[in-house]
Amino acid sequence: MPLLASIYASPVYDAERGVFRLWSRVYPGLARPQALPGTEVHKHMRYGYSESKDGIDFDFVGELQGLHSLGDYNSVVTLDEHESDPSHRFKIGYDGSQTGVNGACLAHSGDGIHWTPYNDGQPVTHRAADFTNCLVWDEQQQAYLLFTRTDYGTGGGPGEVRGMRVMSNPDVKGNPTNWTTLREWKLDQDGPEEFRRRQIYTMTDWQRHGVHFGLFSIYEWPNDFSEGRETDHVHRHERDVLNYYLGTSRDGIDWNYEWIYAGRPFVERGSDGAWDKDLLLPANWIVTRGDEHWVYYGGANERHGTGGVFEPRRDWGIGVAKLPLDRFVSLTAG
């Protein structure tokens, strides 16, 4: 089977069928994409779908049909329980522009494999789409929310500053471009230069008991190679790394970043020599099964790096951690 991507993965547990379903980036016919330069790896990426009985060993089912990618092959697949039309039961946010416009595209599906784009396959937002383009229904606002990346520095490349935005649309099916921007922001609690310390790399909105849980990958000390420029798969780095944090919100607009600014990741990176010592990216959703939450994440053993400055070779993998039901905050006696 093709190698499954360790980022942009949407896991869902289908209780009716008793299987774990996983949508992700895949590399058909490529056993070790980390052995290729970044620009070459993109030529082998595809949108894929896999299934598993136990949530650990996944079997590749096939590539997604009907979608076009701008080249990044990122996606967030949502099982839309608010939707009454079976052919729109699954919705996906992805980087699908066929005109070169780096904006988020949307599509719908009845089976999660065969997709029909909204808006004739054209983006429904302006830049940028190289992010987790997360579409969810918000019961409180009676509208869909779409979380995407936006820019505060240059539009990609050197000088870019990653920020994000949230938009609303009450009827994606009837009017997929009718988005109202509710907020655009970047991490700036510690002042306007905070972007040199941390940026939002990816984020999805997982809702539980009326609370919005932001599953954040935070880019820490971007482009800081003071720990060395040579590839190092042994020592854990602290600069130019990605960490997995939780943020919380009551409305999906204003977020509490207490755990991010306190430097308290939800899932810790590995220690020296670990496969996930330098990069951690959340899966798009947390899976609830029985009395547990299954927390999937992607990891790698080298830093983020930038083409032309530092081109690291990484070994990627997918991990899962388990959490007792709703035990996101606890007190432990001494």
Side-chain angles (χ1 to χ4, degrees):
M1 62 177 291
L3 186 70
L4 304 182
S6 53
I7 58 175
Y8 304 126
S10 300
V12 171
Y13 181 67
D14 187 333
E16 183 176 339
R17 295 179 54 212
V19 299
F20 290 81
R21 310 184 68 178
L22 181 69
W23 293 264
S24 71
R25 178 193 290 171
V26 296
Y27 303 87
L30 196 60
R32 298 189 72 246
Q34 62 270 25
L36 296 176
T39 53
E40 291 298 313
V41 168
H42 280 253
K43 297 178 182 179
H44 298 270
M45 294 176 182
R46 298 293 186 270
Y47 298 114
Y49 172 69
S50 306
E51 291 187 352
S52 172
K53 285 290 187 180
D54 60 7
I56 304 297
D57 296 311
F58 282 84
D59 294 320
F60 179 64
V61 176
E63 295 183 28
L64 304 188
Q65 303 298 311
L67 301 177
H68 173 84
S69 176
L70 190 62
D72 200 44
Y73 286 91
N74 68 62
S75 67
V76 177
V77 175
T78 302
L79 174 57
D80 186 2
E81 297 181 352
H82 168 74
E83 180 60 66
S84 59
D85 185 341
S87 67
H88 292 251
R89 179 171 177 244
F90 293 97
K91 293 181 173 64
I92 187 172
Y94 65 109
D95 66 321
S97 173
Q98 299 185 53
T99 60
V101 177
N102 195 326
C105 291
L106 303 175
H108 63 90
S109 173
D111 61 7
I113 297 177
H114 301 88
W115 295 85
T116 301
Y118 291 108
N119 195 35
D120 296 323
Q122 298 305 310
V124 300
T125 70
H126 60 79
R127 182 181 162 82
D130 50 340
F131 191 79
T132 41
N133 300 292
C134 174
L135 177 70
V136 293
W137 173 257
D138 183 72
E139 192 66 27
Q140 179 181 347
Q141 299 188 45
Q142 288 294 292
Y144 287 94
L145 300 180
L146 178 60
F147 297 85
T148 73
R149 173 179 167 176
T150 192
D151 295 298
Y152 283 87
T154 60
E160 68 179 353
V161 177
R162 295 168 175 82
M164 63 179 297
R165 61 175 169 249
V166 57
M167 299 168 283
S168 68
N169 182 344
D171 185 9
V172 169
K173 182 168 56 178
N175 194 347
T177 63
N178 185 33
W179 293 98
T180 299
T181 299
L182 303 178
R183 186 184 173 205
E184 292 186 299
W185 73 100
K186 64 182 185 297
L187 296 178
D188 58 4
Q189 175 175 296
D190 294 336
E193 295 295 298
E194 177 68 16
F195 68 88
R196 302 186 187 280
R197 170 63 179 84
R198 51 173 70 90
Q199 298 178 14
I200 301 172
Y201 195 78
T202 65
M203 176 266 183
T204 52
D205 178 25
W206 180 72
Q207 298 176 38
R208 177 80 174 165
H209 298 315
V211 177
H212 296 259
F213 287 87
L215 310 184
F216 287 91
S217 181
I218 301 298
Y219 191 12
E220 312 240 15
W221 301 105
N223 304 316
D224 182 340
F225 304 120
S226 58
E227 296 173 301
R229 293 179 179 270
E230 297 298 321
T231 297
D232 182 351
H233 292 165
V234 176
H235 299 97
R236 169 178 155 143
H237 298 96
E238 302 302 330
R239 303 296 174 111
D240 199 63
V241 297
L242 302 178
N243 281 313
Y244 181 173
Y245 292 97
L246 285 184
T248 56
S249 174
R250 288 292 181 181
D251 58 10
I253 302 170
D254 297 301
W255 292 84
N256 183 328
Y257 292 126
E258 178 181 350
W259 291 319
I260 294 175
Y261 283 103
R264 297 177 63 185
F266 180 49
V267 178
E268 292 277 357
R269 285 183 291 118
S271 57
D272 285 357
W275 65 274
D276 57 355
K277 71 181 181 64
D278 284 349
L279 300 183
L280 239 59
L281 293 107
N284 297 331
W285 313 117
I286 292 175
V287 175
T288 301
R289 184 185 181 192
D291 59 356
E292 292 180 324
H293 296 299
W294 290 43
V295 183
Y296 288 92
Y297 62 94
N301 60 357
E302 248 299 356
R303 293 156 286 178
H304 180 269
T306 54
V309 178
F310 175 61
E311 191 69 46
R313 296 294 188 269
R314 311 180 188 92
D315 292 304
W316 286 97
I318 299 177
V320 62
K322 295 182 181 181
L323 188 73
L325 194 66
D326 297 333
R327 195 73 61 84
F328 291 97
V329 179
S330 65
L331 293 176
T332 302

